[in-house]
């Protein structure tokens, strides 16, 4: 009886917190599509995440080619598209390049850019030369969470962490409810860069992008979050929503607006 009483007493705060969470809704899952409920309403930006696995012997040449060609193409005013950040993975999958683009105007802007690039001989030659350097490539189209920071250029030097979560189907709204509260625990050091969820490509994917001075600073900031009342509870309830997760530590290229 004594053991039963101890277990019941210990679990009651968790149960109370769980019950409270049912009544703290940032979005209503019954009334609209996930994209309309979770995405920023004040903007119509669409993001593209590109991940290229480069042949090891070509990584330097790949970086040089991207730094020469990409700014010239995408900084032209008649392309409604901007480079948010471009990196090499430092820890994680090796010989990997990660690019994040913003299309200001959503899908029509994406179509406009793609149509113009097909007519751009320099870009066609760039893609052909780049293709010879790659082992594989994939991309996703993303929307940004309404409660996350807008990814804007920042000065460096910084390292970046891209934390990618494969959620269980049907849990995106629940994830958004919890992280709408959790993000406030991770703003003290200006480390939160952007948060996104997939629309096309691998679905039920979430990406959180963070910036840190170095790996030790990352460790210190993450450890500090556990001392804030409420953070452990939010982690406790979001972990069961995850099927797989991956962390990349990335170094920005010289042309990256996120340094």
């Amino acid at each position: 009886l004594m053991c039963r009483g101890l277990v019941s007493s210990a679990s009651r705060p968790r149960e109370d917190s769980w019950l409270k969470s049912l009544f703290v809704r940032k979005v209503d899952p019954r009334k609209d599509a996930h994209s309309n409920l979770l995405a920023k309403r004040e903007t119509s930006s669409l993001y593209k995440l590109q991940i290229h696995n480069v042949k090891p012997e070509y990584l330097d040449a790949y970086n040089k080619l991207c730094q020469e060609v990409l700014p010239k193409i995408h900084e032209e005013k008649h392309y409604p598209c901007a480079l948010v950040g471009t990196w090499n993975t430092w820890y994680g999958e090796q010989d990997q390049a990660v690019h994040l683009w913003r299309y200001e105007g959503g899908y029509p802007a994406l179509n406009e850019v793609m149509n113009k690039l097909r007519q751009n001989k320099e870009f066609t030659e760039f893609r052909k030369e780049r293709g010879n350097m790659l082992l594989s490539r994939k991309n996703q189209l993303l929307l940004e969470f309404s409660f996350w920071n807008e990814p804007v250029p920042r000065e460096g030097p910084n390292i970046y962490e891209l934390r990618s979560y494969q959620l269980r189907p049907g849990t995106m709204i629940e994830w958004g409810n919890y992280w709408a509260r959790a993000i406030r625990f991770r703003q003290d050091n200006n480390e939160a860069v952007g948060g996104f969820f997939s629309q096309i490509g691998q679905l039920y994917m979430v990406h959180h992008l963070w910036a840190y001075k170095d790996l030790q600073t990352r460790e210190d900031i993450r450890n500090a979050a556990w001392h804030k009342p409420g953070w452990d509870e939010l982690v406790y309830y979001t972990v069961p929503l995850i099927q797989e997760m991956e962390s990349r530590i990335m170094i920005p290229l010289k042309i990256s607006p996120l340094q």
Side-chain angles (χ1 to χ4, degrees):
L1 290 174
M2 184 178 294
C3 291
R4 184 181 300 173
L6 287 173
V7 171
S8 177
S9 175
S11 63
R12 192 171 296 118
R14 290 285 188 196
E15 292 171 358
D16 292 345
S17 298
W18 180 79
L19 287 171
K20 289 177 183 177
S21 73
L22 294 179
F23 300 100
V24 182
R25 286 285 182 181
K26 295 294 181 181
V27 292
D28 189 336
R30 298 169 296 176
K31 295 182 178 179
D32 212 338
H34 290 183
S35 58
N36 292 334
L37 290 166
L38 294 170
K40 280 184 168 62
R41 293 173 184 256
E42 63 273 19
T43 66
S44 56
S45 295
L46 181 71
Y47 290 80
K48 179 168 71 175
L49 179 69
Q50 293 179 303
I51 298 177
H52 292 168
N53 291 312
V54 185
K55 297 175 183 177
E57 65 271 23
Y58 284 117
L59 185 60
D60 288 341
Y62 173 94
N63 289 338
K64 183 179 179 182
L65 181 65
C66 288
Q67 291 180 140
E68 288 176 353
V69 177
L70 293 183
K72 289 189 293 183
I73 292 176
H74 291 283
E75 286 181 0
E76 295 183 20
K77 293 181 179 179
H78 63 285
Y79 285 101
C81 160
L83 180 64
V84 177
T86 178
W87 304 267
N88 284 154
T89 300
W90 182 23
Y91 287 104
E93 195 163 349
Q94 298 294 282
D95 304 307
Q96 188 176 79
V98 178
H99 309 288
L100 183 64
W101 303 92
R102 180 193 293 114
Y103 296 86
E104 299 167 3
Y107 292 107
L110 174 67
N111 289 337
E112 181 182 345
V113 171
M114 294 300 101
N115 288 334
K116 288 180 176 178
L117 288 179
R118 290 190 189 100
Q119 309 302 319
N120 188 315
K121 292 183 179 180
E122 185 177 11
F123 182 76
T124 302
E125 293 173 1
F126 160 72
R127 284 197 63 180
K128 184 177 180 180
E129 185 175 356
R130 184 188 67 182
N132 293 329
M133 302 177 181
L134 300 181
L135 290 169
S136 65
R137 60 194 182 102
K138 68 177 181 178
N139 60 28
Q140 290 179 335
L141 294 180
L142 315 170
L143 296 176
E144 56 185 329
F145 283 112
S146 59
F147 47 83
W148 264 80
N149 299 355
E150 187 80 15
V152 297
R154 66 171 65 197
E155 296 181 354
N158 294 294
I159 62 171
Y160 288 81
E161 181 176 19
L162 183 65
R163 295 179 70 86
S164 301
Y165 303 89
Q166 177 68 60
L167 301 187
R168 298 183 183 279
T171 61
M172 186 66 74
I173 291 291
E174 193 173 358
W175 180 273
N177 285 333
Y178 286 123
W179 264 96
R181 286 171 281 158
I183 191 63
R184 73 177 187 269
F185 293 101
R186 298 296 309 276
Q187 300 282 10
D188 293 350
N189 298 279
N190 195 33
E191 72 267 27
V193 178
F196 313 91
F197 60 100
S198 62
Q199 285 289 283
I200 295 178
Q202 191 170 352
L203 298 178
Y204 285 98
M205 283 289 295
V206 169
H207 302 281
H208 292 174
L209 184 61
W210 310 91
Y212 303 102
K213 180 181 177 182
D214 50 39
L215 286 174
Q216 185 59 54
T217 302
R218 169 188 176 274
E219 184 75 1
D220 295 341
I221 290 173
R222 288 176 55 82
N223 285 339
W226 289 97
H227 298 287
K228 299 178 181 179
W231 171 255
D232 60 338
E233 182 180 303
L234 289 164
V235 172
Y236 178 85
Y237 290 116
T238 53
V239 166
L241 309 180
I242 302 169
Q243 285 187 329
E244 294 181 12
M245 58 187 296
E246 181 179 5
S247 170
R248 293 178 177 86
I249 301 297
M250 309 183 302
I251 305 296
L253 299 186
K254 293 179 181 178
I255 61 170
S256 178
L258 289 169
Q259 282 295 310

